[in-house]
């Protein structure tokens, strides 16, 4: 079952953030689709190289979020070239409250330029 | 898992190791006979404790999580509490404890965080090489104080990596705002990206010229087994990688870009590190009945200058002899100047032992494949008052160990 988030229609804007742990770096992208599978917001060419969450606000009106889903892909790499484990996490928040947090462990093979994929989605209900 | 719990578990493991050290340390070394060999050195040697135990590099586990450590330790000790031979674990306690709260900006900006993050502890067991039915076990500590070859502090290298990742993503474009895309199309996009990453990892791991038709064939089989509508296009994509000259050339260029453009090649980095390793011998495989076998401590340093490097090392080695052979202690030092690149280099250097014996070395190293090096050397052994004795040698250095002839 997809990860689910329930926003308060009367609340403030909803944001999502992504972080990659264990001193790894990533290039990533994401889509927000509505209930008709139409892309309503798109993030491309995003990079994280500081192990600090990157946060984005959803432009879709909160009242229309039910039925939408947030989908992302991140190519994770290790600048130490040693490879190893990491945890990719995406958190959805509204007014400072966490609506959903999805984390997944991954492992990058050792060697220069090696990569791993962190991809998942969150469904708004 | 919370950092405090991770800290507690790691502390318990370290406490257990330290407890055994206290019980075993301080045993007499006895008289010190002459040492029979001089150690070669590398700027960054193999892990000391694994070298002392004679364990090959490719058998070492590097658990990155507390649960993985526990799994590794479980495999090293049987249900009766006896040590099992062949265990080799390396772990970085600070990274394990801090886990996902360790931030790259702190690592880059705070040298103490960097030193703590790169401090490694090694634990290993191996059958004793010079005594029947005995088991050697050891622990090592590596503290990296300085390493200019660390890509995590090299912004240019990080950007190059991310550019390569961006190229991967762009190979599978996403629909624009206002377009419609089905969940299965997105799922296929992710599968294709995953396959592309896996195929690229294979390419980077091995020589592009020798790729690895077998590995790619296994991906073709996996693509077949996906049972997805995109399976055919995945097959076509992977076949392109395999057969298309242009595709191969582009991968070759990508690999060259990643392997060559790192501004500070690791081979001639400026570095300073401390290595300590102690080995004990357990005649009955019980840790509590072990006795001291050997200790080594080394400080290694390197100063990289363009295409050359000065490297130096000073260390102490203590070995407790078995029946019929005496104990020994030696202070070793080494200094070498190397010039070259990541594919070939030439060096001249000198090793000394107790400052009254030495070896003058001329060394040529050529990279045969990814991690395999051929080393040709001429060593002139010098003892006070004697003429040098020159010996040529050819060594093949592989990830699994060194093989050579003199």
């Amino acid at each position: 079952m997809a990860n689910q988030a329930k926003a308060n229609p009367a609340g403030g804007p909803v944001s999502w953030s992504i972080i990659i742990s264990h001193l790894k770096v990533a290039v990533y992208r994401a889509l927000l689709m509505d209930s008709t599978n139409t892309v309503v917001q798109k993030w491309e060419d995003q990079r994280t190289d500081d192990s600090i969450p990157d946060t984005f606000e959803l432009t879709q009106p909160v009242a229309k979020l039910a039925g939408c889903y947030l989908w992302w892909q991140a190519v994770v790499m290790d600048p130490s070239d040693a490879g190893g484990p990491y945890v990719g996490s995406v958190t959805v928040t509204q007014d400072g409250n966490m609506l959903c947090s999805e984390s997944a462990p991954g492992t990058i093979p050792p060697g220069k330029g090696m990569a791993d994929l962190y991809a998942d989605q969150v469904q708004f209900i | 898992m919370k950092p405090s719990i991770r800290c507690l578990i790691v502390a318990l493991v370290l406490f257990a190791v330290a407890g055994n050290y206290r019980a075993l340390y301080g045993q007499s070394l006895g008289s010190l006979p002459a040492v029979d060999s001089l150690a070669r050195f590398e700027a960054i040697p193999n892990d000391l404790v694994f070298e002392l135990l004679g364990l090959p590099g490719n058998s070492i586990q590097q658990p990155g999580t507390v649960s993985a450590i526990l799994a590794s330790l479980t495999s090293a000790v049987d249900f009766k509490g006896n040590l099992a031979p062949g265990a080799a674990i390396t772990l970085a306690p600070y990274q394990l404890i801090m886990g996902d709260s360790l931030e790259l900006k702190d690592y880059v900006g705070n040298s103490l965080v960097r030193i703590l993050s790169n401090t490694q502890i090694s634990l290993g067991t191996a059958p004793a090489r010079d005594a029947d039915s005995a088991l050697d076990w050891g622990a090592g500590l590596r503290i990296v104080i300085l390493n200019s070859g660390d890509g995590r502090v090299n912004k240019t290298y990080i950007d190059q990596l991310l550019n390569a990742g961006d190229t991967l993503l762009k190979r599978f474009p996403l629909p624009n705002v206002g377009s419609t895309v089905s969940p299965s199309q997105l799922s296929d996009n992710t599968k294709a990206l995953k396959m592309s990453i896996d195929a690229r990892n294979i390419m980077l791991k091995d020589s592009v010229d020798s790729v690895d038709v077998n590995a790619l064939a296994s991906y073709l089989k996996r693509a077949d087994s996906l049972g997805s509508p995109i399976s055919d296009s995945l097959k076509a994509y992977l076949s392109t990688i395999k057969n298309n000259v242009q595709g191969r050339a582009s991968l070759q260029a990508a690999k060259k870009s990643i392997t060559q453009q790192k501004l500070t090649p690791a081979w001639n980095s400026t570095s300073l590190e401390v290595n300590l390793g102690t080995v004990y011998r357990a005649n009955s495989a019980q840790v509590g009945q072990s006795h001291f076998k050997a200790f080594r401590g080394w400080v290694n340093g390197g100063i990289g200058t363009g295409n050359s490097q000065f490297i130096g090392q000073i260390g102490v080695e203590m070995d407790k002899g078995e029946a019929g052979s005496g104990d020994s202690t030696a202070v070793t030092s080494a200094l070498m100047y190397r010039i070259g690149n990541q594919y070939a280099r030439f060096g001249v250097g000198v090793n000394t032992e107790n400052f009254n014996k030495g070896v003058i070395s001329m060394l040529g190293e050529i990279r045969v494949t990814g991690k395999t090096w051929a080393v040709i050397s001429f060593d002139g052994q010098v003892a006070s008052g004697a003429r040098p004795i020159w010996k040529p040698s050819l060594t093949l250095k592989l990830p699994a160990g060194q093989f050579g002839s003199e």
Side-chain angles (χ1 to χ4, degrees), chain A residues 29 37 39 42 45 47 49 51-52 73 77 79 81 113-115, chain B residues 104 155 157 161 163 169-170 172 176 178-179 181 189-190 200-201:
Chain A
R29 60 188 182 180
N37 293 327
V39 178
K42 183 178 180 181
D45 303 324
R47 297 177 172 211
D49 58 5
S51 311
I52 296 174
Q73 290 174 329
M77 306 172 106
D81 299 336
M114 294 292 192
Chain B
L104 194 56
K155 185 77 173 81
Y157 182 54
L161 278 181
N163 287 342
L169 286 177
K170 283 188 164 57
F172 306 99
N176 291 321
S179 306
V181 58
N189 184 298
T190 297
R200 183 176 176 278
N201 285 348

PDB file of all heavy atoms in Angstrom, chain A residues 29 37 39 42 45 47 49 51-52 73 77 79 81 113-115, chain B residues 104 155 157 161 163 169-170 172 176 178-179 181 189-190 200-201:
ATOM      1  N   ARG A  29      14.121  14.262  -8.649  1.00  0.00           N
ATOM      2  CA  ARG A  29      13.012  14.955  -9.303  1.00  0.00           C
ATOM      3  C   ARG A  29      11.716  14.389  -8.752  1.00  0.00           C
ATOM      4  O   ARG A  29      11.697  13.301  -8.160  1.00  0.00           O
ATOM      5  CB  ARG A  29      13.081  14.779 -10.818  1.00  0.00           C
ATOM      6  CG  ARG A  29      13.020  13.314 -11.253  1.00  0.00           C
ATOM      7  CD  ARG A  29      13.285  13.192 -12.741  1.00  0.00           C
ATOM      8  NE  ARG A  29      13.185  11.823 -13.194  1.00  0.00           N
ATOM      9  CZ  ARG A  29      13.365  11.443 -14.458  1.00  0.00           C
ATOM     10  NH1 ARG A  29      13.662  12.340 -15.391  1.00  0.00           N
ATOM     11  NH2 ARG A  29      13.265  10.181 -14.805  1.00  0.00           N
ATOM     12  N   ASN A  37      -4.648  11.711 -12.785  1.00  0.00           N
ATOM     13  CA  ASN A  37      -3.288  11.409 -13.269  1.00  0.00           C
ATOM     14  C   ASN A  37      -2.697  12.532 -14.126  1.00  0.00           C
ATOM     15  O   ASN A  37      -1.840  12.292 -14.979  1.00  0.00           O
ATOM     16  CB  ASN A  37      -3.257  10.086 -14.055  1.00  0.00           C
ATOM     17  CG  ASN A  37      -3.529   8.893 -13.167  1.00  0.00           C
ATOM     18  OD1 ASN A  37      -3.155   8.896 -11.992  1.00  0.00           O
ATOM     19  ND2 ASN A  37      -4.198   7.887 -13.705  1.00  0.00           N
ATOM     20  N   VAL A  39      -0.391  15.809 -14.372  1.00  0.00           N
ATOM     21  CA  VAL A  39       0.719  16.411 -13.619  1.00  0.00           C
ATOM     22  C   VAL A  39       0.351  17.853 -13.279  1.00  0.00           C
ATOM     23  O   VAL A  39       0.067  18.659 -14.180  1.00  0.00           O
ATOM     24  CB  VAL A  39       2.021  16.376 -14.448  1.00  0.00           C
ATOM     25  CG1 VAL A  39       3.160  17.037 -13.680  1.00  0.00           C
ATOM     26  CG2 VAL A  39       2.379  14.946 -14.829  1.00  0.00           C
ATOM     27  N   LYS A  42       5.785  20.001 -10.926  1.00  0.00           N
ATOM     28  CA  LYS A  42       6.945  19.198 -11.323  1.00  0.00           C
ATOM     29  C   LYS A  42       8.217  19.828 -10.771  1.00  0.00           C
ATOM     30  O   LYS A  42       8.373  21.047 -10.824  1.00  0.00           O
ATOM     31  CB  LYS A  42       7.000  19.153 -12.863  1.00  0.00           C
ATOM     32  CG  LYS A  42       8.104  18.308 -13.449  1.00  0.00           C
ATOM     33  CD  LYS A  42       7.984  18.336 -14.980  1.00  0.00           C
ATOM     34  CE  LYS A  42       9.048  17.519 -15.654  1.00  0.00           C
ATOM     35  NZ  LYS A  42       8.943  17.569 -17.114  1.00  0.00           N
ATOM     36  N   ASP A  45      15.861  18.651 -11.884  1.00  0.00           N
ATOM     37  CA  ASP A  45      17.233  19.166 -11.686  1.00  0.00           C
ATOM     38  C   ASP A  45      17.486  19.592 -10.248  1.00  0.00           C
ATOM     39  O   ASP A  45      18.141  20.608  -9.997  1.00  0.00           O
ATOM     40  CB  ASP A  45      17.496  20.353 -12.631  1.00  0.00           C
ATOM     41  CG  ASP A  45      17.286  19.973 -14.079  1.00  0.00           C
ATOM     42  OD1 ASP A  45      17.619  18.832 -14.437  1.00  0.00           O
ATOM     43  OD2 ASP A  45      16.773  20.822 -14.840  1.00  0.00           O
ATOM     44  N   ARG A  47      19.105  19.041  -6.477  1.00  0.00           N
ATOM     45  CA  ARG A  47      20.294  18.396  -5.921  1.00  0.00           C
ATOM     46  C   ARG A  47      20.332  18.553  -4.412  1.00  0.00           C
ATOM     47  O   ARG A  47      19.947  19.610  -3.893  1.00  0.00           O
ATOM     48  CB  ARG A  47      21.563  19.030  -6.503  1.00  0.00           C
ATOM     49  CG  ARG A  47      21.677  18.833  -7.988  1.00  0.00           C
ATOM     50  CD  ARG A  47      22.879  19.520  -8.571  1.00  0.00           C
ATOM     51  NE  ARG A  47      23.009  19.119  -9.968  1.00  0.00           N
ATOM     52  CZ  ARG A  47      24.165  19.029 -10.602  1.00  0.00           C
ATOM     53  NH1 ARG A  47      25.280  19.330  -9.992  1.00  0.00           N
ATOM     54  NH2 ARG A  47      24.197  18.639 -11.862  1.00  0.00           N
ATOM     55  N   ASP A  49      23.285  18.042  -1.442  1.00  0.00           N
ATOM     56  CA  ASP A  49      24.662  17.660  -1.141  1.00  0.00           C
ATOM     57  C   ASP A  49      25.087  18.175   0.229  1.00  0.00           C
ATOM     58  O   ASP A  49      26.253  18.471   0.463  1.00  0.00           O
ATOM     59  CB  ASP A  49      25.625  18.181  -2.220  1.00  0.00           C
ATOM     60  CG  ASP A  49      25.561  19.679  -2.387  1.00  0.00           C
ATOM     61  OD1 ASP A  49      24.841  20.329  -1.611  1.00  0.00           O
ATOM     62  OD2 ASP A  49      26.249  20.212  -3.275  1.00  0.00           O
ATOM     63  N   SER A  51      23.098  16.911   3.289  1.00  0.00           N
ATOM     64  CA  SER A  51      22.393  16.092   4.294  1.00  0.00           C
ATOM     65  C   SER A  51      21.399  16.910   5.103  1.00  0.00           C
ATOM     66  O   SER A  51      21.107  16.596   6.253  1.00  0.00           O
ATOM     67  CB  SER A  51      23.373  15.398   5.240  1.00  0.00           C
ATOM     68  OG  SER A  51      24.380  14.744   4.544  1.00  0.00           O
ATOM     69  N   ILE A  52      20.909  17.995   4.523  1.00  0.00           N
ATOM     70  CA  ILE A  52      19.876  18.816   5.171  1.00  0.00           C
ATOM     71  C   ILE A  52      18.618  18.709   4.317  1.00  0.00           C
ATOM     72  O   ILE A  52      18.707  18.683   3.084  1.00  0.00           O
ATOM     73  CB  ILE A  52      20.330  20.292   5.256  1.00  0.00           C
ATOM     74  CG1 ILE A  52      21.564  20.381   6.166  1.00  0.00           C
ATOM     75  CG2 ILE A  52      19.223  21.192   5.773  1.00  0.00           C
ATOM     76  CD1 ILE A  52      22.181  21.751   6.195  1.00  0.00           C
ATOM     77  N   GLN A  73      11.929  10.374  -7.676  1.00  0.00           N
ATOM     78  CA  GLN A  73      13.077   9.521  -7.986  1.00  0.00           C
ATOM     79  C   GLN A  73      14.339  10.275  -7.573  1.00  0.00           C
ATOM     80  O   GLN A  73      14.454  11.471  -7.854  1.00  0.00           O
ATOM     81  CB  GLN A  73      13.182   9.257  -9.498  1.00  0.00           C
ATOM     82  CG  GLN A  73      12.109   8.370 -10.083  1.00  0.00           C
ATOM     83  CD  GLN A  73      12.235   8.299 -11.598  1.00  0.00           C
ATOM     84  OE1 GLN A  73      12.668   9.252 -12.247  1.00  0.00           O
ATOM     85  NE2 GLN A  73      11.825   7.174 -12.165  1.00  0.00           N
ATOM     86  N   MET A  77      24.434   8.998  -4.708  1.00  0.00           N
ATOM     87  CA  MET A  77      25.838   8.665  -4.966  1.00  0.00           C
ATOM     88  C   MET A  77      26.683   8.997  -3.743  1.00  0.00           C
ATOM     89  O   MET A  77      26.262   9.773  -2.882  1.00  0.00           O
ATOM     90  CB  MET A  77      26.329   9.434  -6.199  1.00  0.00           C
ATOM     91  CG  MET A  77      25.438   9.208  -7.410  1.00  0.00           C
ATOM     92  SD  MET A  77      25.844  10.245  -8.794  1.00  0.00           S
ATOM     93  CE  MET A  77      26.630   9.055  -9.862  1.00  0.00           C
ATOM     94  N   PRO A  79      30.274  10.494  -2.602  1.00  0.00           N
ATOM     95  CA  PRO A  79      31.513  11.160  -3.028  1.00  0.00           C
ATOM     96  C   PRO A  79      32.777  10.574  -2.414  1.00  0.00           C
ATOM     97  O   PRO A  79      33.870  10.871  -2.874  1.00  0.00           O
ATOM     98  CB  PRO A  79      31.316  12.617  -2.593  1.00  0.00           C
ATOM     99  CG  PRO A  79      30.218  12.600  -1.609  1.00  0.00           C
ATOM    100  CD  PRO A  79      29.376  11.399  -1.896  1.00  0.00           C
ATOM    101  N   ASP A  81      33.435   7.519  -2.601  1.00  0.00           N
ATOM    102  CA  ASP A  81      33.689   6.359  -3.467  1.00  0.00           C
ATOM    103  C   ASP A  81      33.706   5.036  -2.710  1.00  0.00           C
ATOM    104  O   ASP A  81      33.950   3.995  -3.299  1.00  0.00           O
ATOM    105  CB  ASP A  81      35.020   6.485  -4.242  1.00  0.00           C
ATOM    106  CG  ASP A  81      35.030   7.703  -5.147  1.00  0.00           C
ATOM    107  OD1 ASP A  81      33.932   8.155  -5.532  1.00  0.00           O
ATOM    108  OD2 ASP A  81      36.120   8.203  -5.452  1.00  0.00           O
ATOM    109  N   GLY A 113      31.765   6.774  -8.876  1.00  0.00           N
ATOM    110  CA  GLY A 113      30.596   7.021  -9.705  1.00  0.00           C
ATOM    111  C   GLY A 113      29.430   6.077  -9.504  1.00  0.00           C
ATOM    112  O   GLY A 113      28.419   6.190 -10.181  1.00  0.00           O
ATOM    113  N   MET A 114      29.562   5.127  -8.576  1.00  0.00           N
ATOM    114  CA  MET A 114      28.476   4.164  -8.365  1.00  0.00           C
ATOM    115  C   MET A 114      27.230   4.876  -7.829  1.00  0.00           C
ATOM    116  O   MET A 114      27.335   5.894  -7.141  1.00  0.00           O
ATOM    117  CB  MET A 114      28.911   3.092  -7.376  1.00  0.00           C
ATOM    118  CG  MET A 114      30.024   2.219  -7.897  1.00  0.00           C
ATOM    119  SD  MET A 114      29.454   1.185  -9.249  1.00  0.00           S
ATOM    120  CE  MET A 114      30.819   0.042  -9.397  1.00  0.00           C
ATOM    121  N   ALA A 115      26.073   4.312  -8.126  1.00  0.00           N
ATOM    122  CA  ALA A 115      24.828   4.988  -7.760  1.00  0.00           C
ATOM    123  C   ALA A 115      23.786   3.990  -7.292  1.00  0.00           C
ATOM    124  O   ALA A 115      23.926   2.780  -7.497  1.00  0.00           O
ATOM    125  CB  ALA A 115      24.301   5.770  -8.963  1.00  0.00           C
TER     126      ALA A 115
ATOM    127  N   LEU B 104      26.450  16.423   5.987  1.00  0.00           N
ATOM    128  CA  LEU B 104      27.626  16.606   5.152  1.00  0.00           C
ATOM    129  C   LEU B 104      28.262  17.975   5.375  1.00  0.00           C
ATOM    130  O   LEU B 104      29.476  18.122   5.324  1.00  0.00           O
ATOM    131  CB  LEU B 104      27.260  16.413   3.678  1.00  0.00           C
ATOM    132  CG  LEU B 104      28.421  16.239   2.705  1.00  0.00           C
ATOM    133  CD1 LEU B 104      29.320  15.081   3.092  1.00  0.00           C
ATOM    134  CD2 LEU B 104      27.911  16.031   1.287  1.00  0.00           C
ATOM    135  N   LYS B 155      34.056  19.858  -3.648  1.00  0.00           N
ATOM    136  CA  LYS B 155      32.796  20.319  -4.237  1.00  0.00           C
ATOM    137  C   LYS B 155      32.756  20.044  -5.743  1.00  0.00           C
ATOM    138  O   LYS B 155      31.698  19.689  -6.290  1.00  0.00           O
ATOM    139  CB  LYS B 155      32.630  21.818  -3.967  1.00  0.00           C
ATOM    140  CG  LYS B 155      31.312  22.379  -4.431  1.00  0.00           C
ATOM    141  CD  LYS B 155      30.186  22.009  -3.474  1.00  0.00           C
ATOM    142  CE  LYS B 155      28.883  22.694  -3.825  1.00  0.00           C
ATOM    143  NZ  LYS B 155      28.134  22.054  -4.887  1.00  0.00           N
ATOM    144  N   TYR B 157      34.172  17.625  -7.360  1.00  0.00           N
ATOM    145  CA  TYR B 157      33.914  16.204  -7.592  1.00  0.00           C
ATOM    146  C   TYR B 157      32.444  15.870  -7.322  1.00  0.00           C
ATOM    147  O   TYR B 157      31.823  15.118  -8.068  1.00  0.00           O
ATOM    148  CB  TYR B 157      34.828  15.353  -6.704  1.00  0.00           C
ATOM    149  CG  TYR B 157      34.661  13.869  -6.915  1.00  0.00           C
ATOM    150  CD1 TYR B 157      34.783  13.310  -8.182  1.00  0.00           C
ATOM    151  CD2 TYR B 157      34.379  13.021  -5.851  1.00  0.00           C
ATOM    152  CE1 TYR B 157      34.624  11.952  -8.386  1.00  0.00           C
ATOM    153  CE2 TYR B 157      34.225  11.657  -6.044  1.00  0.00           C
ATOM    154  CZ  TYR B 157      34.349  11.131  -7.322  1.00  0.00           C
ATOM    155  OH  TYR B 157      34.184   9.774  -7.513  1.00  0.00           O
ATOM    156  N   LEU B 161      29.772  14.220  -9.915  1.00  0.00           N
ATOM    157  CA  LEU B 161      28.930  13.059  -9.630  1.00  0.00           C
ATOM    158  C   LEU B 161      27.466  13.375  -9.909  1.00  0.00           C
ATOM    159  O   LEU B 161      26.747  12.599 -10.549  1.00  0.00           O
ATOM    160  CB  LEU B 161      29.074  12.654  -8.157  1.00  0.00           C
ATOM    161  CG  LEU B 161      30.263  11.809  -7.745  1.00  0.00           C
ATOM    162  CD1 LEU B 161      30.183  11.502  -6.259  1.00  0.00           C
ATOM    163  CD2 LEU B 161      30.309  10.514  -8.538  1.00  0.00           C
ATOM    164  N   ASN B 163      26.214  15.680 -11.792  1.00  0.00           N
ATOM    165  CA  ASN B 163      25.977  15.847 -13.233  1.00  0.00           C
ATOM    166  C   ASN B 163      25.753  14.488 -13.892  1.00  0.00           C
ATOM    167  O   ASN B 163      24.891  14.334 -14.761  1.00  0.00           O
ATOM    168  CB  ASN B 163      27.167  16.542 -13.896  1.00  0.00           C
ATOM    169  CG  ASN B 163      27.239  18.017 -13.539  1.00  0.00           C
ATOM    170  OD1 ASN B 163      26.246  18.598 -13.079  1.00  0.00           O
ATOM    171  ND2 ASN B 163      28.400  18.624 -13.705  1.00  0.00           N
ATOM    172  N   LEU B 169      19.017  10.607 -15.142  1.00  0.00           N
ATOM    173  CA  LEU B 169      17.597  10.964 -15.025  1.00  0.00           C
ATOM    174  C   LEU B 169      17.042  11.467 -16.355  1.00  0.00           C
ATOM    175  O   LEU B 169      15.924  11.123 -16.755  1.00  0.00           O
ATOM    176  CB  LEU B 169      17.402  12.029 -13.953  1.00  0.00           C
ATOM    177  CG  LEU B 169      17.517  11.583 -12.494  1.00  0.00           C
ATOM    178  CD1 LEU B 169      17.373  12.770 -11.557  1.00  0.00           C
ATOM    179  CD2 LEU B 169      16.444  10.549 -12.164  1.00  0.00           C
ATOM    180  N   LYS B 170      17.838  12.277 -17.033  1.00  0.00           N
ATOM    181  CA  LYS B 170      17.351  12.890 -18.277  1.00  0.00           C
ATOM    182  C   LYS B 170      17.150  11.849 -19.381  1.00  0.00           C
ATOM    183  O   LYS B 170      16.473  12.113 -20.374  1.00  0.00           O
ATOM    184  CB  LYS B 170      18.312  13.991 -18.730  1.00  0.00           C
ATOM    185  CG  LYS B 170      18.161  15.273 -17.917  1.00  0.00           C
ATOM    186  CD  LYS B 170      18.980  16.404 -18.503  1.00  0.00           C
ATOM    187  CE  LYS B 170      18.557  17.757 -17.958  1.00  0.00           C
ATOM    188  NZ  LYS B 170      18.631  17.868 -16.498  1.00  0.00           N
ATOM    189  N   PHE B 172      15.461   9.358 -19.115  1.00  0.00           N
ATOM    190  CA  PHE B 172      14.063   8.916 -18.996  1.00  0.00           C
ATOM    191  C   PHE B 172      13.198  10.116 -18.620  1.00  0.00           C
ATOM    192  O   PHE B 172      12.895  10.327 -17.444  1.00  0.00           O
ATOM    193  CB  PHE B 172      13.945   7.800 -17.948  1.00  0.00           C
ATOM    194  CG  PHE B 172      14.869   6.653 -18.222  1.00  0.00           C
ATOM    195  CD1 PHE B 172      16.071   6.545 -17.554  1.00  0.00           C
ATOM    196  CD2 PHE B 172      14.558   5.712 -19.191  1.00  0.00           C
ATOM    197  CE1 PHE B 172      16.935   5.501 -17.825  1.00  0.00           C
ATOM    198  CE2 PHE B 172      15.427   4.667 -19.467  1.00  0.00           C
ATOM    199  CZ  PHE B 172      16.620   4.564 -18.786  1.00  0.00           C
ATOM    200  N   ASN B 176       5.328  16.751 -18.801  1.00  0.00           N
ATOM    201  CA  ASN B 176       5.256  18.128 -18.324  1.00  0.00           C
ATOM    202  C   ASN B 176       3.961  18.380 -17.563  1.00  0.00           C
ATOM    203  O   ASN B 176       3.012  17.579 -17.626  1.00  0.00           O
ATOM    204  CB  ASN B 176       5.345  19.093 -19.519  1.00  0.00           C
ATOM    205  CG  ASN B 176       6.728  19.073 -20.130  1.00  0.00           C
ATOM    206  OD1 ASN B 176       7.726  18.989 -19.400  1.00  0.00           O
ATOM    207  ND2 ASN B 176       6.781  19.134 -21.455  1.00  0.00           N
ATOM    208  N   GLY B 178       0.423  19.450 -16.784  1.00  0.00           N
ATOM    209  CA  GLY B 178      -0.740  19.453 -17.669  1.00  0.00           C
ATOM    210  C   GLY B 178      -0.890  18.159 -18.447  1.00  0.00           C
ATOM    211  O   GLY B 178      -1.968  17.853 -18.955  1.00  0.00           O
ATOM    212  N   SER B 179       0.207  17.381 -18.544  1.00  0.00           N
ATOM    213  CA  SER B 179       0.121  16.092 -19.243  1.00  0.00           C
ATOM    214  C   SER B 179      -0.464  15.038 -18.307  1.00  0.00           C
ATOM    215  O   SER B 179      -0.454  15.196 -17.087  1.00  0.00           O
ATOM    216  CB  SER B 179       1.498  15.628 -19.696  1.00  0.00           C
ATOM    217  OG  SER B 179       2.131  16.612 -20.457  1.00  0.00           O
ATOM    218  N   VAL B 181      -0.269  11.070 -17.057  1.00  0.00           N
ATOM    219  CA  VAL B 181       0.638   9.936 -16.991  1.00  0.00           C
ATOM    220  C   VAL B 181       0.035   8.906 -16.048  1.00  0.00           C
ATOM    221  O   VAL B 181      -0.459   9.233 -14.962  1.00  0.00           O
ATOM    222  CB  VAL B 181       2.044  10.372 -16.526  1.00  0.00           C
ATOM    223  CG1 VAL B 181       2.007  11.045 -15.168  1.00  0.00           C
ATOM    224  CG2 VAL B 181       3.001   9.201 -16.517  1.00  0.00           C
ATOM    225  N   ASN B 189       8.938   3.790 -15.803  1.00  0.00           N
ATOM    226  CA  ASN B 189      10.020   4.773 -15.855  1.00  0.00           C
ATOM    227  C   ASN B 189      11.042   4.462 -14.749  1.00  0.00           C
ATOM    228  O   ASN B 189      12.256   4.481 -14.979  1.00  0.00           O
ATOM    229  CB  ASN B 189       9.431   6.176 -15.684  1.00  0.00           C
ATOM    230  CG  ASN B 189      10.485   7.263 -15.813  1.00  0.00           C
ATOM    231  OD1 ASN B 189      11.415   7.311 -15.034  1.00  0.00           O
ATOM    232  ND2 ASN B 189      10.314   8.147 -16.800  1.00  0.00           N
ATOM    233  N   THR B 190      10.551   4.163 -13.553  1.00  0.00           N
ATOM    234  CA  THR B 190      11.442   3.865 -12.434  1.00  0.00           C
ATOM    235  C   THR B 190      12.211   2.572 -12.672  1.00  0.00           C
ATOM    236  O   THR B 190      13.406   2.480 -12.385  1.00  0.00           O
ATOM    237  CB  THR B 190      10.626   3.779 -11.126  1.00  0.00           C
ATOM    238  OG1 THR B 190      10.043   5.053 -10.875  1.00  0.00           O
ATOM    239  CG2 THR B 190      11.513   3.406  -9.951  1.00  0.00           C
ATOM    240  N   ARG B 200      24.964   0.823 -15.503  1.00  0.00           N
ATOM    241  CA  ARG B 200      26.075   1.787 -15.392  1.00  0.00           C
ATOM    242  C   ARG B 200      27.052   1.376 -14.296  1.00  0.00           C
ATOM    243  O   ARG B 200      28.268   1.489 -14.455  1.00  0.00           O
ATOM    244  CB  ARG B 200      25.494   3.173 -15.110  1.00  0.00           C
ATOM    245  CG  ARG B 200      26.521   4.269 -15.044  1.00  0.00           C
ATOM    246  CD  ARG B 200      25.821   5.603 -14.864  1.00  0.00           C
ATOM    247  NE  ARG B 200      26.773   6.680 -14.693  1.00  0.00           N
ATOM    248  CZ  ARG B 200      27.342   6.959 -13.536  1.00  0.00           C
ATOM    249  NH1 ARG B 200      27.061   6.243 -12.474  1.00  0.00           N
ATOM    250  NH2 ARG B 200      28.213   7.944 -13.451  1.00  0.00           N
ATOM    251  N   ASN B 201      26.519   0.880 -13.170  1.00  0.00           N
ATOM    252  CA  ASN B 201      27.399   0.402 -12.098  1.00  0.00           C
ATOM    253  C   ASN B 201      28.299  -0.724 -12.583  1.00  0.00           C
ATOM    254  O   ASN B 201      29.473  -0.801 -12.220  1.00  0.00           O
ATOM    255  CB  ASN B 201      26.570  -0.069 -10.899  1.00  0.00           C
ATOM    256  CG  ASN B 201      25.995   1.091 -10.097  1.00  0.00           C
ATOM    257  OD1 ASN B 201      26.381   2.241 -10.285  1.00  0.00           O
ATOM    258  ND2 ASN B 201      25.057   0.796  -9.218  1.00  0.00           N
TER     259      ASN B 201
END
